[in-house]
Amino acid sequence: MKRNIKTMILVATAVSFLQGCAGVRNSYVTQLDASSDAPLLRVEKGEVVEILSVGNGFPGWWGYYPGVKTSAPNVASVECKPSRSMTPFREPGVVFGGEVCHMSANEVGEATLFFGNKFTLSSENHEERVSVVIYGHQGSERQVPDSD
């Protein structure tokens, strides 16, 4: 009986630590426009979209921490907040937490999201770039901004 209890405690501890691994979830990938060749995210004005989730866990990030910036904060702003997920094995993690980044579509226009190392991220120094088109909603037609 004591051996079974020890085994259950060991398994529960191991599962808890497995939830604490450092990781990242690129939430925007499931929302990309499939008809576009380049990564393109179409969002309606006023919409808030989760784009990145980072888990702080073992063994840590060691000088690299995933982040995101926008080229036009007035069109599409990005805000990252500390968070924890109560869903097991999902970033940002139950044990160590992390942060979740959301993009807010502020006004009709175009912007670019840059993904990479949060500490050195810029429009010239990034790993991935995603174009964002924010449209207004008038009736049932999408109003896409003119490219002048």
Side-chain angles (χ1 to χ4, degrees):
M1 182 69 175
K2 280 190 170 191
R3 183 176 176 144
N4 288 340
I5 292 173
K6 285 182 181 180
T7 303
M8 290 187 327
I9 291 172
L10 180 64
V11 169
T13 303
V15 168
S16 293
F17 282 120
L18 286 175
Q19 293 182 56
C21 294
V24 64
R25 184 178 75 242
N26 294 316
S27 311
Y28 70 90
V29 173
T30 59
Q31 301 170 27
L32 291 175
D33 187 352
S35 64
S36 176
D37 292 336
L40 175 65
L41 187 62
R42 294 185 190 275
V43 184
E44 185 175 356
K45 180 181 175 184
E47 193 174 349
V48 177
V49 179
E50 180 183 313
I51 53 175
L52 184 68
S53 181
V54 182
N56 299 335
F58 179 80
W61 287 101
W62 295 72
Y64 178 91
Y65 194 84
V68 59
K69 285 189 179 180
T70 178
S71 64
N74 59 327
V75 176
S77 60
V78 174
E79 183 177 20
C80 299
K81 292 183 178 179
S83 180
R84 290 184 189 275
S85 173
M86 290 301 121
T87 306
F89 303 106
R90 180 173 185 213
E91 299 308 335
V94 178
V95 178
F96 295 104
E99 68 179 21
V100 176
C101 300
H102 291 88
M103 183 199 70
S104 299
N106 300 324
E107 60 184 56
V108 174
E110 296 180 2
T112 303
L113 297 177
F114 301 102
F115 293 86
N117 186 353
K118 181 178 186 174
F119 304 117
T120 60
L121 190 58
S122 68
S123 58
E124 295 84 30
N125 186 19
H126 61 276
E127 293 175 15
E128 189 168 351
R129 90 187 307 154
V130 175
S131 297
V132 178
V133 173
I134 299 172
Y135 60 90
H137 197 69
Q138 223 175 35
S140 61
E141 297 178 23
R142 289 183 175 187
Q143 301 296 318
V144 179
D146 295 329
S147 298
D148 291 334

